């Protein structure tokens, strides 16, 4: 069985998530574009109260988690711990 490393970056809004996804593709030459996922906060009904996740498949485990966390932090986000 081939385990694929998956990184999840949490961003405060869609614009930040889109920016991070573009930067990830440019910086790391990703073969597959990162996936954007809206993550509504528990108990929040307002569409504005949502975080956005950038999901990056890393089949060769070549991406540096510290670099990913720094990139997310530059956009007021963070890298989720596995």
């Amino acid at each position: 069985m081939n385990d694929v490393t998956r990184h999840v970056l949490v961003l405060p809004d869609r614009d930040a998530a889109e920016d991070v996804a573009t930067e990830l593709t440019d910086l790391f030459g990703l073969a597959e574009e990162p996936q954007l996922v809206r993550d509504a906060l528990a108990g929040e009904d307002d569409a504005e109260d949502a975080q956005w996740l950038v999901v990056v498949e890393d089949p060769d485990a070549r991406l540096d988690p510290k670099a990913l966390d720094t990139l997310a932090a530059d956009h007021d986000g963070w890298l989720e711990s596995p």
Side-chain angles (χ1 to χ4, degrees):
M1 186 171 149
N2 185 9
D3 290 330
V4 174
T5 300
R6 178 177 290 134
H7 304 283
V8 178
L9 292 81
V10 182
L11 285 304
D13 56 47
R14 184 182 183 115
D15 288 341
E18 289 175 347
D19 289 347
V20 167
T22 299
E23 288 183 46
L24 283 168
T25 303
D26 293 345
L27 288 172
F28 297 106
L30 301 178
E32 192 175 313
E33 197 163 310
Q35 183 180 17
L36 300 181
V37 179
R38 182 179 177 272
D39 183 34
L41 299 174
E44 297 293 341
D45 293 329
D46 188 348
E48 296 300 313
D49 291 327
Q51 296 173 325
W52 282 79
L53 309 178
V54 178
V55 181
V56 184
E57 301 292 336
D58 187 12
D60 300 322
R62 66 180 181 87
L63 300 178
D64 177 11
K66 289 181 184 174
L68 296 175
D69 190 47
T70 298
L71 177 60
D74 288 346
H75 295 274
D76 298 321
W78 66 89
L79 175 66
E80 272 295 296
S81 299

